[in-house]
Amino acid sequence: MVAPAVEAPVVIGLDVGGTKIRSGLVDREGTVLAEREMQSPASSEDEVLAALDAAVESLLDERVAAIGYGIPANLERGTGRALWATNLPLTDVDVLARTRHRFGLPVGIENDASAAALAEWRLGAGRGVDNLLMVTLGTGVGGGIVLDGALVRSWVELGHVVVQEGGQVCTCGGHGHLEVLASGSAADVAARELYGDDADAHVLVGHAKAGDEAAVDALAHIGRTLGAVIGSLANLLDPELVVIGGGFGAAAGRFVLEPAREAARREAIYPADRRLRVVPAQLGPESGLVGAGLVGFEALDGLR
Ligand SMILES: [Zn+2]
């Protein structure tokens, strides 16, 4: 009788968003071996937790050694307890302990944008760098920071940095936050102003690609706003590299990145004004899922 081959462990990564939950079997190299997607329930915490359980169960087999979450919430430092989520009904709930108890596996949890930053740092645009800032530009704006070769485990709610005191109200209730001014949602607003109520960010990018100057200008304005904040953060953190990801970041990158780069260098103090690098993410829409998988491997390896 032939002994069964010892298979390398895989983990289940869950990239939890306000509109959908993506889950996948991920190996140590960040390859997604199988993937599922479902709508995020918006009505109650119980429904969200049940959906997360179902997402795990749909992929669970004997190879699975750990579970990792990327979740759009503020997490309590040290415990990983989800304190507050802007786009999901999750308030003060210990998703990590609950999942560990239910499935009997090591579990890691990280803010979704921080998980994406981990993936870009380990496997994408940030390989070989010890200090980086990741910006995820989607419907909202997220951030992740690596400093001195370690992922920063604080909130990094980059989308909720004030750009315009007393400005337009944000999804979080604050005013003039980056997310209101430079995000997929901001591009939706600009698109409606230019092309009518049915237009959205996708339409705006389409017009820009066709050479429409008004669309190019609107996206450049978003880029400059983002860049000004990046320059401010460069003065605070001194990153070697800034990585721009997220769905809107990927779609609008060629219109947003260069204005962002110029504005960042304009605001950054010497020598960041000359050497700050702002580059697109390399892992694309997979980065959140791959990052959640890497968080699972860190839990498996006893690193969190
Ligand atoms: Zn906000």
Side-chain angles (χ1 to χ4, degrees):
M1 195 174 158
V2 180
V6 178
E7 288 192 76
V10 297
V11 301
I12 293 175
L14 295 109
D15 179 20
V16 184
T19 53
K20 57 190 177 183
I21 298 168
R22 297 173 70 206
S23 53
L25 284 180
V26 182
D27 70 12
R28 270 196 194 275
E29 283 70 48
T31 307
V32 179
L33 306 168
E35 196 179 330
R36 308 269 188 277
E37 192 177 304
M38 61 171 79
Q39 297 300 310
S40 301
S43 49
S44 74
E45 186 166 287
D46 285 348
E47 279 189 17
V48 173
L49 295 172
L52 296 178
D53 291 343
V56 171
E57 279 156 9
S58 73
L59 289 163
L60 200 59
D61 66 28
E62 68 281 356
R63 290 174 298 166
V64 173
I67 298 164
Y69 285 98
I71 199 160
N74 293 342
L75 303 175
E76 186 174 59
R77 201 187 268 109
T79 68
R81 195 175 177 87
L83 299 175
W84 169 253
T86 305
N87 299 314
L88 275 178
L90 286 177
T91 305
D92 201 19
V93 54
D94 199 338
V95 177
L96 187 152
R98 192 183 165 280
T99 308
R100 190 187 279 150
H101 181 252
R102 184 177 179 94
F103 296 103
L105 291 168
V107 181
I109 192 164
E110 194 54 77
N111 172 271
D112 56 345
S114 290
L118 181 65
E120 285 292 335
W121 177 40
R122 294 292 190 203
L123 302 166
R127 273 174 298 177
V129 161
D130 283 334
N131 300 285
L132 74 81
L133 170 67
M134 167 108 191
V135 184
T136 59
L137 283 183
T139 308
V141 178
I145 295 170
V146 173
L147 276 187
D148 299 328
L151 186 71
V152 171
R153 308 284 300 275
S154 59
W155 294 352
V156 201
E157 288 283 7
L158 190 55
H160 305 286
V161 165
V162 176
V163 177
Q164 203 171 54
E165 191 275 327
Q168 202 181 326
V169 72
C170 181
T171 50
C172 71
H175 294 82
H177 289 183
L178 180 62
E179 187 162 300
V180 175
L181 299 163
S183 62
S185 308
D188 287 339
V189 172
R192 286 197 291 271
E193 282 170 4
L194 286 170
Y195 307 110
D197 289 347
D198 293 337
D200 60 9
H202 185 74
V203 169
L204 186 68
V205 172
H207 278 281
K209 282 180 177 164
D212 180 336
E213 245 176 69
V216 171
D217 283 351
L219 290 169
H221 181 67
I222 286 174
R224 285 193 299 274
T225 304
L226 174 68
V229 170
I230 289 172
S232 306
L233 290 171
N235 294 340
L236 197 69
L237 301 169
D238 180 26
E240 300 160 70
L241 186 69
V242 180
V243 181
I244 310 291
F248 175 67
R254 62 185 261 219
F255 302 105
V256 169
L257 238 68
E258 188 52 32
R261 207 173 272 134
E262 285 171 13
R265 287 185 176 152
R266 191 181 65 224
E267 304 305 335
I269 56 175
Y270 179 85
D273 57 343
R274 305 199 183 168
R275 69 184 186 195
L276 184 65
R277 289 186 291 145
V278 181
V279 301
Q282 281 181 1
L283 301 178
E286 295 287 89
S287 66
L289 187 55
V290 171
L294 295 182
V295 168
F297 276 109
E298 285 192 356
L300 177 64
D301 298 339
L303 298 174
R304 55 171 65 230

